[in-house]
Amino acid sequence: MYRSHNNSELNKENIGQEVTLSGWIQKTRDKGFMIWADLRDRYGITQLIFDEDRTSKEIMATAKSLGREFVVTIKGKVIAREAVNKNIATGDIEILVSSIEIINESKTPPFTIEDNTDGGEDIRMKYRYLDIRRQEVREKLIFRHKVSLEVRKYLSGEEFIEVETPYLIKSTPEGARDFVVPSRMNSGEFYALPQSPQTFKQLLMIGGMDKYFQIVKCFRDEDLRADRQPEFTQIDCEMAFVEQEDILNIFENLTKYLFKTVNNIELQEFPRITYDYAMETYGNDKPDIRFDMKFGELNDLAQNKGFQVFDDQELVVGIAVPGCSEYSRKQTDKLIKWVKRPQVGASGLIWVKCLEDGTYKSSVDKFFDADALASWAERVNAKKGDLILVMSGDTRKVRPQMSALRMEMAETLGLRDPKVFAPLWVVDFPLLEWDDDSNRYHAMHHPFTSPKQEDLQYIESDPGRIKANAYDLVLNGNEIGGGSIRIHKKELQNQMLSLLGFSQEQAVEQFGFLMDAFQYGAPPHGGIAFGLDRLVAIMYGQENIKDFIAFPKNNSGRDVMINAPSAIDDAQLDELSLKVDIKKEEA
Amino acid sequence: MYRSHNNSELNKENIGQEVTLSGWIQKTRDKGFMIWADLRDRYGITQLIFDEDRTSKEIMATAKSLGREFVVTIKGKVIAREAVNKNIATGDIEILVSSIEIINESKTPPFTIEDNTDGGEDIRMKYRYLDIRRQEVREKLIFRHKVSLEVRKYLSGEEFIEVETPYLIKSTPEGARDFVVPSRMNSGEFYALPQSPQTFKQLLMIGGMDKYFQIVKCFRDEDLRADRQPEFTQIDCEMAFVEQEDILNIFENLTKYLFKTVNNIELQEFPRITYDYAMETYGNDKPDIRFDMKFGELNDLAQNKGFQVFDDQELVVGIAVPGCSEYSRKQTDKLIKWVKRPQVGASGLIWVKCLEDGTYKSSVDKFFDADALASWAERVNAKKGDLILVMSGDTRKVRPQMSALRMEMAETLGLRDPKVFAPLWVVDFPLLEWDDDSNRYHAMHHPFTSPKQEDLQYIESDPGRIKANAYDLVLNGNEIGGGSIRIHKKELQNQMLSLLGFSQEQAVEQFGFLMDAFQYGAPPHGGIAFGLDRLVAIMYGQENIKDFIAFPKNNSGRDVMINAPSAIDDAQLDELSLKVDIKKEEA
């Protein structure tokens, strides 16, 4: 037997008991005649004591030989501790060791196994198994487990059925790039790994499963940015015989349930705003509403007043930054420099200080008098003491620029507290977005999203105007879920695919099975998918998802611990009827 | 709103209420002046009534137009039913329809949506979404969901953490054939899909997670037999600081819990037998112990008695088939023919009838007298009225032959009741098995299995003799789980890999990360994996796993519904630096 207790269980009530413990040596303190060692496992730390007077020579010698991360099993007696440690559960006791076995030795780890480790990301990923020994990382994985389990409990309680959909499916060029899997039994043919179980969950609705969910891995072969993984996890859901309202309600309740059970936080009713409102008000379809600074459009107030910078622009827009009216010249210059950085790309920034005495001071005093500036202040809801920041330009460009500035100011002012949670629904997304490169419309969500009934009239004349029954759940400036009511009629699905540039032949080749299915009594249905990696990170109060994934890939898609991907045998390639053919410019 | 209730909810207490229901038209009965329709959803069936006197002409006309599998939403009043139907939850009521909307029409389905469908497997798989509408299939998927959820609840309650391990990993030639995934970002390199998360769960133990589980898809590119799928689901588990006994206990308790909560069956303590005992007694390492018919070895009783068929053989073995002493010549001849079929491959079969009057009649009466036959009967535990069947030959061949006969007799006698459950543990598996083809040892479980401490002495001299700390959970003649205590020392792992024919270079290339990890304080650990597909099928009382998988592949690894795998674009191949190269003999 390796243990009678784990390393967080023993306390005053166990004093006098003989126990067996196992774990890792976190650290030792050797005073010569007395040695203490911290024994660690997943659950906690228990202090061991070895003492010349009470411990045999042999065991003293073993104790002296212990290095960091040695694995040991000890037997001993629980005794009261002289110097109580209030920080740990076992802080009242220690174990007077009567026997010790070194189960496995350890080389000196390449970084310290402490919350504040000295290891950089590269080395931590190479030795991820040591990284996971750090309480901080382990707690994040345990937190993820809790969230997943509560999702399953909640949805199962609401009569959702978790159905496993296949991983070896069919490649479809629409959307992101697929990972493909060559088939040995079907030479020259390939499976694809799912980017999502979208079509399968729709088929389950057509199959009468009524309410489906799955916590499922999805795959996208995209060039990786920080915080994007080639494999990621979704909470994937679908319901039949529902309207948008039903879906928003049930998944708002799921989210509230998760925050209540896992974080012990009661969330209030989630605001619902339209995509158009979000773009006008926050310049962004995933606004962070932990703070205000709503956009005010100033065209009518600020144009044609002799200030040419504004006059020819499509949009003049401002925000009121709270409490910054005392910004120095240096500070406002810094902001102007910040917005001109290539990452933001603005051409400039106008400021107006709303001073405490009710007067205004601005970088455009030559062109606008106090009354004009007061009207701006009213429009952007600026109060005395605020700093108004104004940009102008093409709507499509200036909104994201102002949004970036708004986020930057919030960050500077400490308004993005990761322990404050501000969820909202963004609804009424456009069905399509125009893509100049391919000179055609793309589906904003995916080709299965249902247009709004009242906008169907524009499908031929002005498709860009059509809104969809599509919605996102946004939390603290991150999209954590998105979904839609789906098309359930064959004709409309056909029309949609043709709008997206599919020939009839391509439509049949790729989605024929779905359109066939629509002919056999498809019910109205819709759903949503949450990004579990991000949801968990945000619930924990962080934005970096990597530590919430046990074995993440780096930005080149590599697992540096196991060294994957790697070359495979020629025999394997032969069996798959494949040849590697690296073009010279790449090689 | 599509529904106020589902189709199993309404009963006497709802009489008089106005309700809205949606679902599929299961069938209609049209008496001209009166029409009944069964409205179906996942939850049940509700009867709709349309009646000339009480229903408008327009709605009557719509009702007459309803075809099977049309999707409708109706409003109406709950009324008492004249002819009560005790078979369904809503059998006391029906709905007098006051409005009806046809949401989607349906072509005539290619097979009937009934428990006893007229569709064969091929057509059901092509239209799997219609197949899933059949209550029988749907119930199996819901049953699977329940089992999965209870596994998660139980293990989470025991402090196991579900950790998602990666799907894009590294190809290793040991074991079955990998599915591989070409990497675009790393030209010429490949990921592999996991055959199991084996090394990752061991790394999690080294990482201090202590108790891990995961319900996870695994992949094997093997030639498919009936009931084997290229992707399948495992309940994968691992624990640190445990011995075999700890693992058997916790997973026996899990199994008991599942049967209790899902099947409402209390299982008794599981018998534990060794691999050697299983082979001697049942000729099989996954014995079906719902019935007896244990093997009796007869060498000492039956050899050198003048019957040459037995004399030179390695093994003479018999079983007592209960209550078959009255078998006719025709019946015993049929058995002899059966064992000689190529699928069994025996050279013959001797029978002894233990008659009710205490005498014996046998096919070898010339060679063996009553005393001799009585000694056989005692050895095989035959009682009056039983039929003893005896075979002889090479042990390696005759045991599986006799095992096949034992199963066949049990089947014939109705002793394999799928609603009776007889679990057991088989322990002490051999570590290695010799493979004549490759002229080397193979790992019986996998290369990470720990040899028994007391057998380590044979590792150089007689490796085939070493037993492992390996165990299988067997249920009704099926292996539903298997696992082992793992090696946790680098030296032993090295020795093991070299025994399995790995060069030092190959060992480092493929498992270097694991052996590195062993150097940093690896704890003792072990685990088990259950095949979820099979476990669920057996718990449900079936052996065919396909209906417990929502979208299974056929025996050529194809999904005939979506038509995968399929050819991909040249552009996709180019991006992956691959060329399809089909050899002429295959093309």
Side-chain angles (χ1 to χ4, degrees):
Chain A
M1 192 186 61
Y2 286 104
R3 57 189 175 194
S4 58
H5 298 79
N6 70 39
N7 287 319
S8 81
E9 279 184 298
L10 297 170
N11 56 46
K12 274 183 202 164
E13 295 181 8
N14 304 94
I15 287 172
Q17 289 180 9
E18 294 291 333
V19 297
T20 305
L21 300 178
S22 288
W24 287 264
I25 298 297
Q26 174 84 9
K27 63 178 181 202
T28 55
R29 267 181 306 146
D30 186 348
K31 297 258 178 194
F33 59 98
M34 214 174 254
I35 301 166
W36 292 268
D38 280 354
L39 187 65
R40 187 197 69 231
D41 63 12
R42 176 181 125 199
Y43 311 95
I45 282 179
T46 300
Q47 180 165 292
L48 312 179
I49 181 167
F50 307 82
D51 153 12
E52 244 176 21
D53 293 340
R54 294 175 286 177
T55 307
S56 76
K57 278 215 171 102
E58 199 189 337
I59 292 177
M60 282 303 280
T62 305
K64 279 181 194 294
S65 77
L66 295 174
R68 280 202 287 139
E69 302 306 316
F70 276 37
V71 178
V72 301
T73 296
I74 64 100
K75 291 185 197 302
K77 185 188 265 189
V78 184
I79 60 174
R81 189 150 148 184
E82 281 182 28
V84 164
N85 179 346
K86 296 279 180 211
N87 298 322
I88 60 174
T90 62
D92 285 327
I93 58 94
E94 59 194 353
I95 312 297
L96 181 63
V97 175
S98 58
S99 84
I100 180 165
E101 185 188 354
I102 295 176
I103 304 282
N104 228 337
E105 300 194 348
S106 175
K107 297 208 298 193
T108 304
F111 51 86
T112 55
I113 314 291
E114 304 278 356
D115 283 0
N116 287 311
T117 183
D118 54 358
E121 182 166 302
D122 288 353
I123 192 99
R124 291 201 293 116
M125 291 303 150
K126 181 163 166 56
Y127 297 91
R128 183 63 161 174
Y129 46 87
L130 296 179
D131 201 27
I132 291 172
R133 278 191 206 157
R134 294 169 53 227
Q135 190 185 343
E136 191 192 339
V137 179
R138 200 169 57 238
E139 288 302 326
K140 288 176 184 171
L141 296 177
I142 294 174
F143 185 84
R144 180 187 181 111
H145 163 68
K146 280 187 194 152
V147 173
S148 296
L149 185 66
E150 293 302 336
V151 167
R152 289 187 157 108
K153 283 187 188 169
Y154 182 84
L155 291 176
S156 301
E158 296 288 330
E159 298 194 294
F160 284 77
I161 304 298
E162 185 161 16
V163 179
E164 295 174 52
T165 53
Y167 279 90
L168 297 173
I169 66 166
K170 188 190 178 92
S171 188
T172 55
E174 179 75 15
R177 205 183 282 106
D178 285 323
F179 280 104
V180 297
V181 182
S183 166
R184 179 182 54 88
M185 290 208 280
N186 304 274
S187 295
E189 297 190 331
F190 294 76
Y191 304 98
L193 299 178
Q195 295 183 31
S196 87
Q198 183 62 34
T199 50
F200 288 96
K201 67 178 175 175
Q202 292 193 240
L203 291 170
L204 286 171
M205 293 304 101
I206 295 170
M209 286 302 293
D210 207 71
K211 294 178 185 175
Y212 144 91
F213 83 102
Q214 188 181 191
I215 299 184
V216 62
K217 274 281 175 79
C218 301
F219 303 86
R220 278 180 206 170
D221 184 11
E222 291 176 328
D223 294 324
L224 301 175
R225 301 192 303 243
D227 240 27
R228 254 214 203 150
Q229 290 280 317
E231 48 178 308
F232 55 97
T233 306
Q234 286 196 344
I235 307 168
D236 191 52
C237 307
E238 198 81 1
M239 306 171 75
F241 299 114
V242 288
E243 288 158 343
Q244 175 169 311
E245 189 64 19
D246 302 304
I247 295 184
L248 300 195
N249 284 335
I250 199 147
F251 292 100
E252 180 165 329
N253 286 339
L254 166 65
T255 310
K256 285 177 179 168
Y257 172 84
L258 292 178
F259 272 91
K260 179 68 193 150
T261 52
V262 183
N263 287 20
N264 199 25
I265 288 176
E266 303 259 11
L267 294 179
Q268 300 305 304
E269 198 180 338
F270 299 1
R272 295 181 188 183
I273 65 175
T274 65
Y275 171 86
D276 287 346
Y277 179 84
M279 295 306 288
E280 278 164 29
T281 313
Y282 302 102
N284 197 309
D285 62 2
K286 44 184 181 183
D288 189 338
I289 60 166
R290 280 174 293 184
F291 50 92
D292 209 359
M293 292 196 262
K294 291 195 184 81
F295 289 12
E297 297 192 355
L298 306 175
N299 293 39
D300 58 323
L301 303 176
Q303 286 181 326
N304 306 315
K305 299 278 151 78
F307 184 55
Q308 298 225 336
V309 171
F310 286 168
D311 286 353
D312 295 332
Q313 304 301 339
E314 195 182 357
L315 179 66
V316 183
V317 62
I319 58 171
V321 183
C324 291
S325 67
E326 299 299 324
Y327 261 34
S328 64
R329 185 62 184 230
K330 201 172 150 193
Q331 284 174 299
T332 51
D333 282 353
K334 203 174 143 199
L335 286 182
I336 293 167
K337 212 170 148 191
W338 190 87
V339 300
K340 287 183 170 177
R341 300 186 324 154
Q343 297 94 317
V344 183
S347 51
L349 181 67
I350 303 305
W351 52 261
V352 182
K353 294 174 178 173
C354 308
L355 301 173
E356 292 292 351
D357 64 4
T359 64
Y360 298 93
K361 185 163 170 24
S362 82
S363 57
V364 286
D365 280 350
K366 278 183 210 159
F367 304 95
F368 299 96
D369 60 17
D371 282 353
L373 297 177
S375 73
W376 296 13
E378 196 186 343
R379 182 67 55 83
V380 301
N381 269 312
K383 297 183 299 294
K384 286 177 190 171
D386 290 355
L387 174 69
I388 302 173
L389 298 173
V390 181
M391 287 195 237
S392 64
D394 287 351
T395 303
R396 270 171 60 181
K397 289 184 181 166
V398 78
R399 278 180 175 166
Q401 290 162 358
M402 185 57 106
S403 172
L405 179 61
R406 177 176 175 271
M407 295 296 267
E408 173 69 10
M409 295 314 298
E411 192 69 48
T412 305
L413 297 174
L415 302 176
R416 304 191 64 200
D417 180 350
K419 298 293 181 188
V420 170
F421 299 98
L424 77 156
W425 291 102
V426 179
V427 300
D428 297 354
F429 274 80
L431 182 68
L432 304 162
E433 51 187 352
W434 182 258
D435 180 54
D436 283 331
D437 290 342
S438 55
N439 198 35
R440 67 168 176 90
Y441 284 109
H442 283 253
M444 193 136 176
H445 271 66
H446 53 56
F448 314 109
T449 300
S450 169
K452 283 196 179 282
Q453 192 65 32
E454 62 269 28
D455 290 349
L456 272 177
Q457 53 181 313
Y458 307 117
I459 200 160
E460 301 287 347
S461 57
D462 189 5
R465 181 173 173 175
I466 304 174
K467 298 290 192 223
N469 287 312
Y471 34 82
D472 277 357
L473 180 58
V474 173
L475 181 57
N476 293 4
N478 294 276
E479 180 206 328
I480 58 160
S484 63
I485 298 297
R486 326 298 183 185
I487 295 168
H488 64 278
K489 297 268 198 183
K490 182 176 176 174
E491 302 69 34
L492 184 56
Q493 187 63 70
N494 245 330
Q495 219 171 351
M496 187 68 189
L497 288 173
S498 121
L499 206 56
L500 295 172
F502 282 76
S503 71
Q504 190 61 27
E505 196 189 1
Q506 288 169 324
V508 168
E509 161 67 17
Q510 287 175 40
F511 300 114
F513 61 97
L514 186 63
M515 292 201 285
D516 279 353
F518 284 162
Q519 294 183 293
Y520 290 100
H525 60 287
I528 194 166
F530 289 81
L532 180 67
D533 307 296
R534 175 143 292 112
L535 173 63
V536 166
I538 294 174
M539 285 181 72
Y540 197 87
Q542 300 213 344
E543 301 222 331
N544 181 353
I545 62 172
K546 263 189 195 160
D547 272 354
F548 297 86
I549 298 170
F551 300 101
K553 306 256 186 310
N554 74 9
N555 288 352
S556 317
R558 295 200 75 82
D559 182 325
V560 295
M561 180 184 68
I562 63 171
N563 192 27
S566 59
I568 59 174
D569 288 355
D570 286 345
Q572 278 176 287
L573 286 169
D574 265 3
E575 279 194 317
L576 298 171
S577 303
L578 284 182
K579 267 193 175 159
V580 170
D581 175 42
I582 300 179
K583 301 281 185 298
K584 285 202 185 87
E585 56 276 24
E586 298 178 53
Chain B
M1 192 186 60
Y2 286 103
R3 57 190 176 194
S4 59
H5 299 78
N6 70 39
N7 287 317
S8 82
E9 278 183 299
L10 297 170
N11 56 44
K12 275 184 202 165
E13 294 182 7
N14 303 96
I15 287 171
Q17 289 180 11
E18 294 291 335
V19 297
T20 305
L21 300 178
S22 288
W24 287 266
I25 298 296
Q26 174 84 8
K27 62 178 179 200
T28 55
R29 267 181 307 146
D30 186 348
K31 298 258 177 194
F33 60 97
M34 214 174 256
I35 302 166
W36 291 269
D38 280 353
L39 187 66
R40 187 198 69 231
D41 62 13
R42 175 180 126 199
Y43 310 94
I45 282 179
T46 300
Q47 180 165 291
L48 311 179
I49 181 166
F50 307 81
D51 154 11
E52 244 177 22
D53 294 341
R54 294 175 287 177
T55 306
S56 75
K57 278 212 171 107
E58 200 190 335
I59 292 177
M60 282 303 280
T62 304
K64 279 180 192 297
S65 76
L66 294 175
R68 280 201 288 137
E69 301 306 315
F70 276 38
V71 178
V72 301
T73 296
I74 63 100
K75 289 183 198 302
K77 187 188 262 188
V78 183
I79 61 175
R81 189 149 148 184
E82 282 181 27
V84 164
N85 179 347
K86 296 279 180 209
N87 298 322
I88 59 174
T90 63
D92 285 326
I93 59 95
E94 59 193 354
I95 312 297
L96 180 64
V97 175
S98 58
S99 85
I100 181 165
E101 186 189 355
I102 296 178
I103 304 282
N104 228 338
E105 301 193 348
S106 175
K107 298 208 299 192
T108 303
F111 51 86
T112 55
I113 312 293
E114 305 278 356
D115 282 0
N116 286 311
T117 183
D118 55 358
E121 181 165 303
D122 288 353
I123 192 99
R124 293 202 291 114
M125 289 305 150
K126 182 165 164 58
Y127 297 92
R128 183 63 161 174
Y129 45 89
L130 296 179
D131 201 27
I132 292 172
R133 279 192 206 157
R134 295 169 54 227
Q135 191 185 341
E136 191 192 338
V137 180
R138 201 170 55 238
E139 288 303 326
K140 288 176 184 170
L141 296 177
I142 293 174
F143 185 84
R144 180 188 180 109
H145 163 67
K146 279 186 195 153
V147 174
S148 296
L149 185 66
E150 293 302 336
V151 167
R152 289 187 158 106
K153 281 187 188 169
Y154 183 84
L155 292 177
S156 301
E158 296 288 331
E159 298 193 294
F160 284 76
I161 303 298
E162 186 162 16
V163 179
E164 296 174 52
T165 53
Y167 279 88
L168 297 173
I169 66 166
K170 188 189 177 93
S171 188
T172 54
E174 179 76 14
R177 207 184 279 105
D178 285 324
F179 280 105
V180 298
V181 181
S183 166
R184 179 182 55 88
M185 290 207 280
N186 304 273
S187 295
E189 297 190 329
F190 293 76
Y191 302 99
L193 299 178
Q195 295 183 32
S196 87
Q198 182 62 36
T199 48
F200 288 96
K201 68 178 176 175
Q202 293 193 240
L203 291 170
L204 286 170
M205 292 305 100
I206 296 171
M209 287 303 291
D210 207 72
K211 295 179 182 174
Y212 144 93
F213 83 103
Q214 188 181 192
I215 299 185
V216 62
K217 275 281 176 75
C218 301
F219 303 85
R220 277 179 207 172
D221 184 11
E222 290 177 328
D223 295 324
L224 301 175
R225 300 192 304 243
D227 240 27
R228 256 216 201 148
Q229 290 281 317
E231 49 178 306
F232 55 97
T233 305
Q234 287 197 344
I235 307 169
D236 191 52
C237 308
E238 197 80 2
M239 304 171 76
F241 298 113
V242 289
E243 287 156 345
Q244 175 169 309
E245 189 64 19
D246 302 303
I247 295 185
L248 300 194
N249 284 335
I250 199 146
F251 293 100
E252 180 165 329
N253 286 338
L254 166 65
T255 310
K256 286 177 178 169
Y257 172 84
L258 291 178
F259 272 90
K260 179 68 193 149
T261 52
V262 183
N263 287 21
N264 198 26
I265 288 175
E266 303 260 8
L267 295 178
Q268 300 306 305
E269 198 179 339
F270 299 1
R272 296 183 188 181
I273 65 175
T274 66
Y275 171 88
D276 286 346
Y277 178 84
M279 295 306 288
E280 278 164 30
T281 312
Y282 303 102
N284 197 311
D285 62 2
K286 43 184 182 183
D288 189 339
I289 60 165
R290 280 173 293 184
F291 50 92
D292 209 357
M293 294 197 259
K294 290 196 185 79
F295 289 13
E297 298 192 354
L298 306 174
N299 292 39
D300 58 324
L301 303 176
Q303 286 181 328
N304 307 315
K305 298 282 153 70
F307 184 55
Q308 298 226 336
V309 171
F310 286 170
D311 286 354
D312 294 334
Q313 304 302 338
E314 195 181 356
L315 179 65
V316 183
V317 63
I319 58 172
V321 184
C324 291
S325 66
E326 300 299 325
Y327 259 33
S328 66
R329 184 63 182 228
K330 200 171 150 196
Q331 285 176 299
T332 51
D333 281 353
K334 204 173 141 200
L335 286 183
I336 293 168
K337 212 170 149 192
W338 190 87
V339 299
K340 287 183 168 177
R341 299 185 325 153
Q343 297 94 318
V344 183
S347 52
L349 181 67
I350 304 304
W351 52 261
V352 181
K353 294 172 178 175
C354 307
L355 301 174
E356 293 291 351
D357 63 6
T359 65
Y360 298 93
K361 187 165 171 20
S362 82
S363 57
V364 287
D365 281 349
K366 279 184 211 158
F367 303 95
F368 298 96
D369 60 18
D371 282 353
L373 297 176
S375 73
W376 297 13
E378 196 187 343
R379 182 69 54 84
V380 302
N381 270 311
K383 295 181 301 291
K384 288 177 188 173
D386 289 355
L387 174 70
I388 301 173
L389 299 173
V390 181
M391 288 196 236
S392 62
D394 287 351
T395 304
R396 267 171 63 179
K397 287 183 181 167
V398 79
R399 279 180 175 166
Q401 290 161 357
M402 187 54 107
S403 172
L405 179 61
R406 177 176 175 270
M407 295 297 268
E408 173 69 9
M409 295 314 299
E411 192 69 47
T412 305
L413 298 174
L415 301 176
R416 304 191 65 200
D417 181 348
K419 299 293 181 188
V420 171
F421 300 97
L424 77 157
W425 290 103
V426 179
V427 301
D428 297 355
F429 274 80
L431 182 68
L432 304 163
E433 50 188 353
W434 182 259
D435 180 55
D436 283 333
D437 290 343
S438 55
N439 198 37
R440 67 168 175 90
Y441 284 109
H442 284 252
M444 193 137 178
H445 270 67
H446 53 55
F448 314 109
T449 300
S450 167
K452 283 196 179 282
Q453 190 66 31
E454 61 269 29
D455 290 349
L456 272 177
Q457 53 182 312
Y458 308 117
I459 200 158
E460 301 288 346
S461 57
D462 189 4
R465 180 173 175 176
I466 304 173
K467 298 288 191 225
N469 288 312
Y471 34 82
D472 277 357
L473 181 57
V474 174
L475 180 57
N476 293 5
N478 295 277
E479 180 206 327
I480 57 160
S484 62
I485 298 296
R486 326 299 183 185
I487 295 168
H488 65 278
K489 297 268 200 183
K490 180 176 177 177
E491 301 69 35
L492 184 56
Q493 188 63 69
N494 245 330
Q495 219 170 353
M496 186 70 188
L497 289 174
S498 120
L499 207 56
L500 295 172
F502 283 75
S503 70
Q504 191 59 26
E505 196 188 1
Q506 288 169 324
V508 168
E509 162 66 19
Q510 287 174 41
F511 300 114
F513 61 96
L514 186 63
M515 291 199 286
D516 278 352
F518 284 161
Q519 296 183 290
Y520 290 100
H525 59 288
I528 195 167
F530 289 81
L532 180 67
D533 307 296
R534 174 142 293 113
L535 173 64
V536 167
I538 295 174
M539 287 182 71
Y540 197 86
Q542 300 213 344
E543 299 221 335
N544 180 352
I545 62 170
K546 263 190 195 159
D547 272 353
F548 297 86
I549 298 170
F551 300 100
K553 306 255 184 314
N554 74 9
N555 288 352
S556 317
R558 294 199 75 82
D559 182 325
V560 295
M561 180 183 70
I562 63 171
N563 191 27
S566 59
I568 59 174
D569 289 354
D570 286 344
Q572 277 177 287
L573 286 169
D574 266 1
E575 279 194 318
L576 298 171
S577 304
L578 284 180
K579 266 193 176 161
V580 170
D581 175 42
I582 299 180
K583 301 281 185 298
K584 285 203 184 86
E585 55 276 21
E586 299 177 54

